[in-house]
Amino acid sequence: MSDSAPLILQIGSINPGFDARLAALGEVIEGWTAAGRDRLDRDAERVRIVATSAMHGLDAATMARLPGLRAVASFGVGVDAIDLTAARARGIAVSNTPEVLDECVADHAFALVLATMRRTAEADRFVRAGLWTASRFPLATRVSGKRLGILGLGRIGKVVARRASGFDMAIGYHNRRADPSVAHAYFVSLRELAAWSDVLVVTCPGGEATRGIVDAEVLAALGPTGFLVNVARGSVVDEAALIAALQAGAIAGAGLDVFVDEPRVPDALRLRDDVVATPHVASATRETRGAMEDLTLANVERFLATGGLVTPVLG
Ligand code: NAP
Ligand code: 8YV
């Protein structure tokens, strides 16, 4: 490749297969290696596109080092780890991977609804520990026919609602504004949605606008028989308030795929039987991760060929 060919800066490895396919599209600087960092010191001005992920993000300081940056292609739908304010100010376009992960993320949300309310993970531990021969497992909570509240009835939230309708559940939701395309009950107030819900499922974006909106007051409204499921971002839930609510019996349990300081999970959550914790895997099936890889690479390819993006979220 010529010395003036555009470079791709990859912030973090996705997996060897993805990394190899990206490298087949153009010259890649591997930002996480010592060699990549040296190369970036020499050739930062030649970088035209950054390939990143919902996990690795892109901060304003890195963007500022790349005067020729025109686009960002991110693996994942959530863009809260990308400084969109800095990107907007520079006219840098950003793409993500919407829709291809909706079904699997909703499936996982529902797995957490069932696992927390029916105590599935706890029951598994009970059998494995050999306790069944000596004692009875406590009763759980019925799921079918209950009220499921959705914080963030967007692409993923709507699939969660579809899953819930198969369990004959009543559905309510809270967004910033009502969605005229759905018949579910709209709650202007998140607190009132929580008070109505038997289980509150969080599927809104992370970032400053939603930081800590599931707070002590919302958890108190959910109440001692209510469950919380979060497949959105750890930042949406005030984790200290959640721990306090669980410890006080102010809510019945929580199913959590996302945490404030991943991959670190506080012992106060990790060691509780009324918490089901998974390591941010809601989209992690071979099928969905493959589709997310394809869409990320399609965005890079389109940018290199035309300057445009397939699924822009900004620009
Ligand atoms: P989406 O289609 O944009 O839906 C987001 C919904 O949240 C919209 O209905 C939006 O409605 C609502 N919302 C936004 N800001 C809000 C606020 N301040 N208060 C209340 N509601 C608000 O997004 P999506 O594709 O469904 O993805 C949702 C999120 O799921 C992602 O951003 C990501 O963080 C998370 N996610 C997690 C995983 C995982 O592995 N655990 C995987 C994929 C996605 P209004 O605009 O009307 O408010
Ligand atoms: C990502 C996610 O797979 O899409 C998102 O927003 O959180 C997950 O699907 C994960 O964060 C990898 O970057």
Side-chain angles (χ1 to χ4, degrees):
M1 276 173 219
S2 88
D3 276 357
S4 58
L7 297 178
I8 303 165
L9 170 62
Q10 187 179 1
I11 300 295
S13 172
I14 302 292
N15 62 56
F18 174 92
D19 299 352
R21 289 174 70 196
L22 181 66
L25 297 180
E27 197 178 347
V28 175
I29 298 179
E30 295 185 337
W32 67 96
T33 67
R37 284 191 290 274
D38 287 349
R39 181 77 196 276
L40 195 58
D41 286 342
R42 293 194 305 277
D43 283 330
E45 73 284 353
R46 282 178 51 204
V47 172
R48 295 287 173 276
I49 181 164
V50 163
T52 188
S53 68
M55 184 174 81
H56 294 117
L58 181 63
D59 59 25
T62 308
M63 256 183 254
R65 291 187 64 194
L66 308 170
L69 184 64
R70 298 285 174 271
V72 179
S74 186
F75 171 86
V77 72
V79 287
D80 49 299
I82 298 172
D83 193 322
L84 294 181
T85 307
R88 194 176 289 111
R90 290 256 313 270
I92 296 167
V94 176
S95 68
N96 61 349
T97 61
E99 294 177 4
V100 294
L101 41 63
D102 296 350
E103 306 289 330
C104 279
V105 176
D107 289 351
H108 193 72
F110 225 81
L112 290 175
V113 168
L114 290 166
T116 47
M117 295 179 76
R118 296 302 307 267
R119 307 174 79 151
T120 318
E122 190 187 347
D124 175 80
R125 287 194 295 275
F126 177 85
V127 173
R128 286 170 196 275
L131 296 174
W132 194 7
T133 51
S135 54
R136 288 200 186 172
F137 190 71
L139 295 179
T141 302
R142 179 177 176 142
V143 173
S144 307
K146 293 291 180 65
R147 293 171 166 181
L148 183 136
I150 299 176
L151 166 54
L153 189 78
R155 289 171 294 232
I156 294 168
K158 284 177 181 168
V159 185
V160 172
R162 261 188 9 236
R163 300 285 182 272
S165 69
F167 282 75
D168 303 320
M169 299 179 90
I171 293 150
Y173 72 101
H174 168 73
N175 285 356
R176 287 167 298 185
R177 56 196 79 78
D179 181 340
S181 72
V182 298
H184 309 310
Y186 175 65
F187 290 78
V188 182
S189 147
L190 172 56
R191 202 199 62 75
E192 279 168 27
L193 174 68
W196 175 87
S197 301
D198 294 306
V199 53
L200 178 66
V201 179
V202 183
T203 53
C204 66
E208 284 318 307
T210 56
R211 188 172 299 284
I213 61 173
V214 178
D215 59 12
E217 199 189 326
V218 170
L219 294 168
L222 190 55
T225 58
F227 293 82
L228 176 74
V229 166
N230 186 7
V231 294
R233 285 290 182 267
S235 61
V236 181
V237 176
D238 178 339
E239 213 167 69
L242 173 61
I243 290 167
L246 288 162
Q247 287 171 343
I251 67 167
L256 307 169
D257 187 49
V258 287
F259 301 85
V260 167
D261 186 25
E262 295 172 10
R264 283 159 290 276
V265 177
D267 284 354
L269 292 175
R270 203 171 54 79
L271 301 176
R272 294 189 68 86
D273 270 340
D274 54 5
V275 170
V276 178
T278 54
H280 201 146
V281 290
S283 71
T285 63
R286 282 185 297 280
E287 296 86 344
T288 286
R289 285 289 170 87
M292 291 164 63
E293 290 181 21
D294 290 349
L295 187 49
T296 308
L297 293 165
N299 274 292
V300 174
E301 199 166 13
R302 172 83 63 91
F303 172 78
L304 294 173
T306 71
L309 292 166
V310 181
T311 46
V313 68
L314 179 67

